[in-house]
Amino acid sequence: MSERVKVFLDEEEIPKQWYNIQADLPHPLPPPLGKDGKPIGPDDLAPVFPMNLIEQEVSTERWIAIPEPVLEILALWRPSPLYRARRFEQALGTPAKIYYKHEGVSPPGSHKPNTSVAQAYYNKVFGIKRLTTETGAGQWGSALAFGCKLLGLECKVYMVRISFDQKPFRKFMMQTWGAECVASPSNHTKAGQAILEQMPDTPGSLGIAISEAIEDAVTSKDTRYSLGSVLNHVLMHQTVIGLEAKKQLEKIGVYPDVVVGCAGGGSNFAGLSFPFVCDKISGKDVKVVAVEPTACPTMTRAPYAYDTGDTAMMTPLLPMHSLGHTFVPPPIHAGGLRYHGMAPLVSHLLQEGLVEARGLHQLECYEAAVLWAHTEGFISAPETSHAIAATIREAKQAKEEGKEKTILMNWSGHGLMDLTGYEAYFAGKLKDYELPEEALQASMKSMEGFPKPPAL
Amino acid sequence: MSERVKVFLDEEEIPKQWYNIQADLPHPLPPPLGKDGKPIGPDDLAPVFPMNLIEQEVSTERWIAIPEPVLEILALWRPSPLYRARRFEQALGTPAKIYYKHEGVSPPGSHKPNTSVAQAYYNKVFGIKRLTTETGAGQWGSALAFGCKLLGLECKVYMVRISFDQKPFRKFMMQTWGAECVASPSNHTKAGQAILEQMPDTPGSLGIAISEAIEDAVTSKDTRYSLGSVLNHVLMHQTVIGLEAKKQLEKIGVYPDVVVGCAGGGSNFAGLSFPFVCDKISGKDVKVVAVEPTACPTMTRAPYAYDTGDTAMMTPLLPMHSLGHTFVPPPIHAGGLRYHGMAPLVSHLLQEGLVEARGLHQLECYEAAVLWAHTEGFISAPETSHAIAATIREAKQAKEEGKEKTILMNWSGHGLMDLTGYEAYFAGKLKDYELPEEALQASMKSMEGFPKPPAL
């Protein structure tokens, strides 16, 4: 055999602690605010989340131990393999070395269960019997269904109606893991009923589904809400990805020059990159790139502001890059990258200049994903294709500069449940969307009157 | 962490040779026969297969080296992990230890690419530019599309019409890997045209699709045919599964008491079990179980006979358990287990008493697969669910007998492309099919007049 393409870790090498970047931020993260503009405390969040997760949300401890029962479930697919994308490199003719972390090996097929299992565990320990959540394309909903089933919790998923109707397979997946999945807006909540009265034919949105899931959680017995991205503790649960990748690269004596991940809410990007951003804070020279679609340009075109996480303004105000909570994204195929906001931690690191953002069009991303399937073999999630396309840009730049750059990418999930996107791409039915300036200005109006985060 | 659940091999530990059980058979395999009842030679097969694969088909060498370029592609997902199914064991309350080989980690999600890559390679080396094949539910077609794309061959897949219409996602997968996929019967071949004239609304069958793919291969330039199971060389390519499993079990000091695999054409079953059958031939005490659906009872109810592999009788006569080449299987969801025949090598080992067969109903299999998803997390292919259900039976027997039996199972693929089957199961729409005796007698009529294989 010629040179190896995979680096495995032994099961015993799964990280035993999560990395909490809040311990190392040059400036602290601005707090979430209530409707009155005053910082909210743990008690304000208690109807929505269990106190043990609220403690994680605000913790500034650098390392937080991963509970044994969580490790035991993570061991069903972790440590995930680290790959060298040799065939892809060869096709690009680049001197760059491209490594990727393969998060598609989990039962639901993405990085999402890294946090769904942890959240289900903490809720269970806190005495909660049932979790609610929202899902767009279905990756998060199926991951939470999986996590709840393995820990013995009930699960109810509000799925954005257009996806519910067009992509029934994710719904079947959730059912197989015992979850209830309904189309949102639904008549199960007051928020849903109100929207259905006004717009009976609405395709729904993530913002609406979040409103419904939160309402259900705060009005039902022994029930809490679970979010698949954006929040600090969610991003922290994903750091097993980057911690493993570091260990795997160390085994072969490599440190990356560039770290790349796609970012919708920010969790897979954070999971891979935060352990490297930690080094960057200490002076290490590493470029960290978050990639989003030009159709939903949260990081590249939206302001850093205080905004709510949902349409019905049930969540606190979070300091984040936001297109405005009334933003309705165009129908691009990367359903996981269509959220109006970006995680406060990722937004904050952009402000600190520790992370760079890039916006890419979907045709370039599909082209990249097809090259990937033809060389590395695996079919990528449409979200992941954004990381691949950005990696190609980095690799081409390395070629132009004649540099032997090392790129590390998060292959956040497979696209076997998203093949209609590929079909549409091959049939020439897809087009690129540039968000018109007027649409951006209009949706940003929904944030008027909210306080502004402090300048660094 | 408590006891580990996975055993990884290093990439360097991928087997470098395939195991050819023909070297160790107590009695030699009866030869394929021509229409005249006389043994056929390599030249007779030359229009259909490249000579290097024909040589493998008839070889009695015990070990055959795996070419370097094949190993390099296999390394994209091999060695596959060996798992201990601890949570599943706990749910069953069995003293049995259950290990499984996870073949769902390949890009198409099943064991099939173990041979599609090898076949594409040998054809390429022989100067072939294009391969044709048939597919039922689509697992094999997508695996060959993948293998051809990575080796630079063209690929055309004749997909059984009912699957083509009902399961478009496998078709999109093949397209993503650059293959052409058409519904069979098609008007692209004379065999297809003839059937369409008689039965314009036929749902198609594997037998018909094989006839079309072979006709295309023998009438097109630089084209050969590729089969995903049944033949000796195909089964041999799958032995990497069992060879890896043996090495992985050796690392933890375990040898199985029972080896279980589902069997449609026989290749995943053979791939796991043949290296253990080899030990059994040498006197080792190991039980080897092949599992099929009661709806397509090739091993459990059909005679050991000479029959053709396809409906239009284009293939030679093969010595195998066969329901008759005109057999039309009922619409159970395990598309990969609906073939009318069983691999000559597996059929022969049944005759030798080295392998046992078991027929199971699909409801028992779905129930088993749901328990699997709720404990081990992974969603199984409907084919694989048959192996799981048989494993439960073995585990329950161990419980009754109070024995600490070790069971090794082939988890041949994931079911993420087959979720409609789960949906139908949960909706109570599935039923069990027992093949009526009259239907069996009727389809067996198609073998009348063919010679009989010699008694052992």
Side-chain angles (χ1 to χ4, degrees):
Chain A
M1 300 265 309
S2 60
E3 297 159 286
R4 54 195 292 161
V5 297
K6 291 192 299 300
V7 184
F8 284 125
L9 291 179
D10 222 47
E11 199 169 302
E12 287 73 17
E13 295 176 277
I14 297 177
K16 302 295 178 296
Q17 298 171 309
W18 290 299
Y19 168 61
N20 181 10
I21 201 167
Q22 290 197 74
D24 294 315
L25 293 176
H27 305 85
L29 198 63
L33 303 180
K35 301 283 175 297
D36 57 3
K38 287 182 185 154
I40 60 162
D43 288 348
D44 297 304
L45 293 169
V48 181
F49 300 109
M51 195 50 75
N52 46 16
L53 284 178
I54 295 171
E55 283 163 13
Q56 281 192 359
E57 183 66 14
V58 298
S59 170
T60 53
E61 288 289 315
R62 182 169 291 111
W63 297 101
I64 293 182
I66 307 178
E68 189 70 20
V70 173
L71 285 171
E72 280 177 15
I73 297 178
L74 294 185
L76 290 175
W77 72 95
R78 303 210 73 84
S80 71
L82 179 85
Y83 276 75
R84 169 95 183 260
R86 283 192 194 279
R87 290 174 174 269
F88 186 66
E89 290 170 16
Q90 283 158 14
L92 294 174
T94 178
K97 293 177 183 167
I98 300 171
Y99 293 89
Y100 68 98
K101 191 72 172 155
H102 187 329
E103 290 295 306
V105 294
S106 75
S110 79
H111 66 290
K112 291 286 187 191
N114 292 330
T115 184
S116 72
V117 170
Q119 291 190 49
Y121 169 79
Y122 283 106
N123 275 283
K124 185 182 183 180
V125 165
F126 195 70
I128 302 303
K129 309 269 188 245
R130 177 174 174 271
L131 288 178
T132 65
T133 197
E134 75 294 333
T135 199
Q139 281 201 339
W140 169 243
S142 51
L144 190 66
F146 162 79
C148 284
K149 175 49 73 179
L150 266 78
L151 281 150
L153 270 67
E154 287 175 58
C155 180
K156 179 157 180 178
V157 180
Y158 292 85
M159 186 171 185
V160 176
R161 163 149 284 146
I162 188 165
S163 297
F164 185 90
D165 291 339
Q166 293 182 351
K167 299 184 175 179
F169 297 100
R170 282 278 178 192
K171 178 178 66 191
F172 299 161
M173 224 171 155
M174 295 180 226
Q175 284 174 350
T176 302
W177 282 314
E180 183 188 358
C181 175
V182 295
S184 166
S186 75
N187 57 14
H188 297 215
T189 66
K190 287 182 184 165
Q193 288 157 10
I195 289 165
L196 281 175
E197 263 174 40
Q198 287 174 26
M199 305 180 283
D201 297 325
T202 176
S205 76
L206 264 185
I208 296 169
I210 294 176
S211 299
E212 288 205 86
I214 293 179
E215 181 188 323
D216 182 335
V218 301
T219 57
S220 305
K221 190 163 174 283
D222 295 335
T223 300
R224 291 293 184 280
Y225 167 71
S226 171
L227 190 61
S229 190
V230 177
L231 299 179
N232 305 337
H233 67 278
V234 181
L235 272 55
M236 186 185 73
H237 295 159
Q238 295 292 352
T239 58
V240 289
I241 303 171
L243 294 169
E244 283 179 10
K246 249 186 159 173
K247 226 183 265 187
Q248 286 161 316
L249 288 174
E250 271 166 22
K251 289 209 173 191
I252 51 172
V254 170
Y255 194 92
D257 300 298
V258 188
V259 177
V260 180
C262 64
S267 78
N268 98 70
F269 166 74
L272 177 69
S273 69
F274 281 7
F276 296 94
V277 174
C278 166
D279 297 342
K280 186 162 180 161
I281 293 170
S282 312
K284 187 96 184 173
D285 183 20
V286 51
K287 179 173 162 186
V288 183
V289 183
V291 193
E292 68 183 7
T294 46
C296 190
T298 316
M299 298 179 290
T300 51
R301 289 179 61 197
Y304 180 57
Y306 265 112
D307 195 11
T308 58
D310 69 320
T311 307
M313 299 194 287
M314 297 185 72
T315 77
L317 295 173
L318 297 173
M320 57 184 184
H321 278 273
S322 177
L323 294 155
H325 57 267
T326 58
F327 179 71
V328 178
I332 60 162
H333 268 278
L337 304 182
R338 297 171 64 214
Y339 185 60
H340 69 273
M342 177 51 60
L345 277 171
V346 174
S347 298
H348 188 74
L349 292 171
L350 282 160
Q351 298 304 306
E352 297 272 15
L354 291 163
V355 162
E356 309 176 18
R358 194 150 302 163
L360 296 183
H361 280 296
Q362 72 175 348
L363 291 181
E364 178 179 347
C365 297
Y366 270 103
E367 191 187 348
V370 169
L371 179 64
W372 189 268
H374 289 187
T375 53
E376 294 300 306
F378 293 98
I379 295 176
S380 312
E383 292 80 10
T384 311
S385 73
H386 288 70
I388 299 173
T391 296
I392 291 179
R393 289 193 177 196
E394 292 292 331
K396 285 190 174 162
Q397 197 189 320
K399 189 177 179 178
E400 281 159 21
E401 296 169 359
K403 279 189 191 161
E404 265 211 19
K405 213 159 34 170
T406 298
I407 305 168
L408 172 65
M409 184 192 92
N410 201 10
W411 198 77
S412 54
H414 66 63
L416 300 186
M417 312 299 289
D418 308 282
L419 288 163
T420 44
Y422 283 85
E423 161 71 358
Y425 171 69
F426 287 122
K429 290 182 203 155
L430 295 191
K431 53 179 187 172
D432 286 336
Y433 293 89
E434 186 87 36
L435 184 68
E437 185 60 27
E438 315 82 67
L440 175 60
Q441 293 300 330
S443 74
M444 275 164 42
K445 282 218 167 67
S446 61
M447 295 186 285
E448 273 176 14
F450 290 162
K452 302 281 172 247
L456 290 185
Chain B
M1 298 265 309
S2 60
E3 297 159 284
R4 54 195 292 162
V5 297
K6 292 192 299 300
V7 184
F8 285 126
L9 290 179
D10 221 47
E11 198 169 302
E12 287 74 16
E13 295 176 278
I14 296 177
K16 302 295 178 295
Q17 298 171 310
W18 290 299
Y19 168 61
N20 181 8
I21 201 167
Q22 290 198 73
D24 294 317
L25 293 177
H27 305 85
L29 197 63
L33 304 180
K35 301 282 176 297
D36 57 3
K38 288 183 185 155
I40 60 162
D43 289 347
D44 298 305
L45 293 169
V48 182
F49 299 110
M51 195 51 75
N52 47 15
L53 283 178
I54 295 171
E55 283 163 13
Q56 281 192 358
E57 183 66 15
V58 298
S59 169
T60 53
E61 289 289 315
R62 182 169 291 112
W63 297 102
I64 293 182
I66 307 177
E68 189 70 20
V70 174
L71 286 172
E72 281 177 15
I73 297 178
L74 293 185
L76 290 175
W77 71 96
R78 304 209 73 84
S80 71
L82 179 85
Y83 276 76
R84 169 95 182 260
R86 283 190 194 279
R87 289 173 176 270
F88 187 66
E89 291 171 15
Q90 283 158 13
L92 294 174
T94 178
K97 292 177 184 167
I98 301 171
Y99 293 89
Y100 68 97
K101 192 72 172 153
H102 188 328
E103 290 295 308
V105 293
S106 75
S110 79
H111 66 290
K112 292 287 187 191
N114 293 330
T115 184
S116 72
V117 170
Q119 291 190 47
Y121 169 79
Y122 283 107
N123 275 282
K124 185 182 183 180
V125 166
F126 195 70
I128 302 304
K129 309 269 188 247
R130 178 174 174 271
L131 287 178
T132 65
T133 197
E134 76 293 333
T135 200
Q139 281 201 339
W140 168 243
S142 51
L144 190 65
F146 162 78
C148 284
K149 175 49 72 181
L150 266 77
L151 281 150
L153 270 67
E154 288 176 57
C155 180
K156 179 157 179 179
V157 181
Y158 293 86
M159 187 171 184
V160 176
R161 164 150 284 145
I162 187 166
S163 296
F164 185 91
D165 291 339
Q166 292 182 351
K167 299 183 175 179
F169 297 99
R170 282 277 178 192
K171 178 179 65 190
F172 299 162
M173 224 171 155
M174 296 179 225
Q175 284 174 350
T176 302
W177 282 313
E180 184 189 357
C181 175
V182 296
S184 166
S186 75
N187 57 14
H188 297 216
T189 66
K190 287 182 184 164
Q193 287 157 10
I195 290 166
L196 281 176
E197 264 175 40
Q198 287 173 26
M199 304 181 285
D201 297 324
T202 176
S205 76
L206 263 185
I208 296 169
I210 295 176
S211 299
E212 289 205 85
I214 294 179
E215 181 188 322
D216 182 334
V218 300
T219 57
S220 304
K221 190 161 175 284
D222 295 335
T223 301
R224 290 292 184 280
Y225 167 71
S226 171
L227 191 61
S229 189
V230 177
L231 298 179
N232 305 336
H233 68 277
V234 181
L235 271 55
M236 187 186 72
H237 295 159
Q238 294 293 353
T239 58
V240 289
I241 303 171
L243 294 169
E244 283 179 11
K246 249 186 159 174
K247 227 184 264 189
Q248 286 161 315
L249 289 174
E250 271 165 24
K251 288 208 175 192
I252 52 172
V254 170
Y255 193 92
D257 300 298
V258 189
V259 177
V260 180
C262 63
S267 78
N268 98 70
F269 166 74
L272 178 69
S273 69
F274 280 8
F276 296 95
V277 174
C278 166
D279 297 342
K280 186 163 180 161
I281 292 170
S282 312
K284 188 97 184 173
D285 183 20
V286 51
K287 179 173 161 185
V288 183
V289 183
V291 193
E292 68 184 7
T294 46
C296 190
T298 316
M299 298 179 290
T300 50
R301 290 179 61 196
Y304 181 57
Y306 265 112
D307 195 11
T308 58
D310 69 320
T311 307
M313 298 195 287
M314 298 184 72
T315 76
L317 295 173
L318 297 173
M320 57 184 183
H321 279 273
S322 177
L323 294 156
H325 57 267
T326 58
F327 180 71
V328 178
I332 60 162
H333 268 278
L337 304 182
R338 296 172 64 215
Y339 184 60
H340 69 273
M342 177 51 60
L345 277 171
V346 175
S347 299
H348 188 74
L349 293 172
L350 282 160
Q351 298 304 306
E352 296 273 15
L354 290 163
V355 163
E356 311 176 16
R358 195 149 300 163
L360 296 183
H361 280 295
Q362 73 176 348
L363 290 181
E364 178 179 347
C365 297
Y366 270 103
E367 191 186 348
V370 169
L371 178 63
W372 189 267
H374 290 186
T375 53
E376 295 299 306
F378 293 100
I379 295 177
S380 311
E383 293 80 10
T384 310
S385 73
H386 288 71
I388 299 172
T391 296
I392 291 179
R393 288 193 177 197
E394 292 293 330
K396 284 191 175 163
Q397 198 190 319
K399 189 177 179 180
E400 282 159 21
E401 296 169 359
K403 281 188 190 159
E404 265 211 18
K405 216 162 29 175
T406 298
I407 305 167
L408 172 65
M409 184 193 91
N410 201 10
W411 198 77
S412 54
H414 66 62
L416 299 186
M417 312 299 289
D418 307 283
L419 288 164
T420 44
Y422 283 86
E423 160 71 357
Y425 171 70
F426 287 121
K429 290 182 202 154
L430 294 191
K431 53 178 187 172
D432 286 335
Y433 293 87
E434 185 87 36
L435 183 68
E437 186 60 27
E438 315 81 68
L440 176 61
Q441 293 300 330
S443 74
M444 276 165 39
K445 282 219 166 65
S446 62
M447 294 186 285
E448 273 177 14
F450 289 163
K452 302 280 171 247
L456 292 185

